[in-house]
Amino acid sequence: MSIDIRGVNKSFGDFAALTDINLAIPSGKITALLGPSGGGKTTLLRIVAGLENADSGTVSIEGADTTNVPARKRNIGFVFQHYAVFKHLTVAGNVGFGLSIRHRPKDEIAAKVNELLELVHLEQFADRLPSQLSGGQRQRMALARALAIQPALLLLDEPFGALDAKVRKELREWLRELHDKMHVTTVFVTHDQEEALEVADNVVVINSGTVEQVGPPATLYDEPASPFVMGFLGEVTTLGGQLIRPHDIVIHTDPRPGALAGTIVRAQRVGFEARLHVRPEGAAADGSSDVLVNLTRTFARSLGLHEGEQVWLEPEDGATTLPAAGVSASGRPAPVLGSPRREGEDVAGSLTSKDVAGSLTDCRCDYAPGSVRLHGSGCWLA
């Protein structure tokens, strides 16, 4: 059951929650809407469900325009973060509620409820009340209730957000296994990067009401379209003016051509990891330029690394990097980023006058194709 979203906009007063959302969600897959809190993920999910109306744009499900179709007629199962269970009904009563209000025969309801309770491993709790279940069990019950009506589409709004880390991990694995058995098109909202990368077939990164990037988890992680995507999908640090992941940095105890020299100013042990903070030579003492390097504890021990030791850093071959200060106004990576430029210096690169206007601050400049000459001291290309 594919979903096609075209030109969707939504505002709450002066706040633009969604801006020109265009998105195709494939049938039979799990798609994650990933982004920071307040980015518009839940608003988009509720618009797809029919629980919220867009100001403009269309939503089509399996080729049919459902923009103005009431939620109850969309055949959608919805799972809320805080379960939204009926406290006075048993587990079996909650799971079968959707079928009961559809006036299905009692024997059919009983058979479907038993089937789903077995599927979510709650058959032994059929006669208990929700208050007698753990958080993870209540969430599985809520998911079984959503599946009982055999929805064409399953929507989940941060389904594991209220659970502790261990239970979340177990339920992520369980949800993936469940989907592989049922193949119902599923869309879930999360701000947990690990959850999205582990469970989803496709990830939609949303920030400030706009779509930053869409693709399979591996593609987004290895080929981020922007510094925001790279930073949101995992830890990043800066090495030689480039954003890079801390585990993609090679550390040497002897000088290497082209490697950045620095001193280990802090060493932390976090589980199996050793996290080193390396201050480049001549860098500010406030730590703003420190480079974070992540190693396994065993490898760090084998090198005998400790605070105060001089080391040399370079990117791992094939490491993903992006310019540290972002992109130009046109969306292309700026050729020189995050470093001071000198008066009269030429900055070569693929720039347009729009790039110059949007990326040079507190400077006067002469623009010619392929070159920008700066006037004034302390200019930055940012």
Side-chain angles (χ1 to χ4, degrees):
M1 187 65 66
S2 61
I3 308 169
D4 192 48
I5 301 166
R6 288 288 168 258
V8 164
N9 293 275
K10 178 66 178 179
S11 294
F12 297 98
D14 295 332
F15 174 70
L18 296 172
T19 304
D20 194 26
I21 300 295
N22 294 280
L23 183 63
I25 295 176
S27 177
K29 304 291 185 180
I30 297 183
T31 297
L33 303 181
L34 173 68
S37 298
K41 308 179 299 297
T42 294
T43 299
L44 180 58
L45 193 77
R46 290 176 63 85
I47 288 173
V48 172
L51 299 175
E52 198 78 60
N53 294 320
D55 296 335
S56 61
T58 62
V59 176
S60 299
I61 298 178
E62 201 63 16
D65 188 348
T66 59
T67 307
N68 298 312
V69 175
R72 67 181 182 277
K73 295 184 178 180
R74 296 193 186 193
N75 192 25
I76 288 174
F78 202 107
V79 178
F80 298 90
Q81 178 178 352
H82 295 290
Y83 323 126
V85 299
F86 299 106
K87 297 179 181 180
H88 66 290
L89 295 179
T90 64
V91 170
N94 268 279
V95 173
F97 180 80
L99 297 174
S100 298
I101 63 173
R102 285 168 173 77
H103 306 294
R104 307 303 289 268
K106 288 186 178 181
D107 56 346
E108 179 185 332
I109 295 174
K112 189 66 178 178
V113 168
N114 288 335
E115 175 190 341
L116 286 168
L117 288 179
E118 288 182 14
L119 188 66
V120 300
H121 310 301
L122 291 177
E123 62 271 22
Q124 68 272 38
F125 303 120
D127 297 324
R128 290 192 182 182
L129 293 172
S131 60
Q132 297 173 305
L133 301 180
S134 68
Q137 289 169 338
R138 284 197 294 270
Q139 196 60 289
R140 280 188 278 150
M141 180 192 69
L143 187 53
R145 182 180 61 184
L147 291 171
I149 61 171
Q150 295 182 293
L153 179 62
L154 181 62
L155 306 179
L156 304 97
D157 185 11
E158 301 208 38
F160 311 135
L163 305 172
D164 64 63
K166 185 174 185 295
V167 175
R168 282 203 308 269
K169 183 170 179 58
E170 291 172 353
L171 286 182
R172 289 201 300 263
E173 296 171 354
W174 172 80
L175 178 61
R176 183 70 245 187
E177 292 173 1
L178 181 66
H179 177 268
D180 291 341
K181 293 177 183 177
M182 304 192 71
H183 300 289
V184 60
T185 303
T186 302
V187 182
F188 74 97
V189 163
T190 182
H191 59 263
D192 186 319
Q193 300 89 337
E194 183 178 345
E195 189 169 284
L197 296 175
E198 182 178 339
V199 176
D201 299 300
N202 289 286
V203 177
V204 180
V205 180
I206 298 178
N207 180 39
S208 299
T210 62
V211 174
E212 292 270 349
Q213 190 174 0
V214 182
T219 300
L220 268 62
Y221 192 85
D222 295 336
E223 303 171 26
S226 67
F228 173 82
V229 174
M230 185 175 185
F232 198 76
L233 288 180
E235 197 169 28
V236 295
T237 190
T238 304
L239 178 66
Q242 297 287 311
L243 291 178
I244 187 170
R245 302 199 186 282
H247 60 258
D248 283 337
I249 296 175
V250 180
I251 188 166
H252 304 285
T253 55
D254 55 338
R256 299 296 174 95
L260 179 72
T263 302
I264 299 174
V265 294
R266 187 180 180 192
Q268 292 176 288
R269 159 91 185 275
V270 182
F272 68 91
E273 267 189 347
R275 297 184 180 179
L276 307 178
H277 295 252
V278 178
R279 185 160 300 161
E281 290 183 349
D286 61 4
S288 59
S289 300
D290 289 1
V291 181
L292 176 63
V293 183
N294 288 351
L295 307 171
T296 65
R297 179 175 59 107
T298 303
F299 185 60
R301 280 181 173 176
S302 71
L303 294 177
L305 299 174
H306 54 81
E307 292 182 6
E309 183 173 0
Q310 187 172 29
V311 291
W312 287 261
L313 309 177
E314 61 182 346
E316 185 82 58
D317 288 342
T320 298
T321 62
L322 284 177
V327 295
S328 66
S330 67
R332 293 193 300 274
V336 182
L337 292 168
S339 56
R341 315 311 301 163
R342 297 184 300 274
E343 180 177 0
E345 180 178 358
D346 283 326
V347 183
S350 179
L351 290 174
T352 68
S353 57
K354 183 179 180 182
D355 294 327
V356 175
S359 61
L360 293 172
T361 59
D362 300 323
C363 297
R364 292 177 296 111
C365 61
D366 293 329
Y367 168 75
S371 178
V372 178
R373 176 156 289 180
L374 307 180
H375 302 277
S377 60
C379 292
W380 287 73
L381 188 60

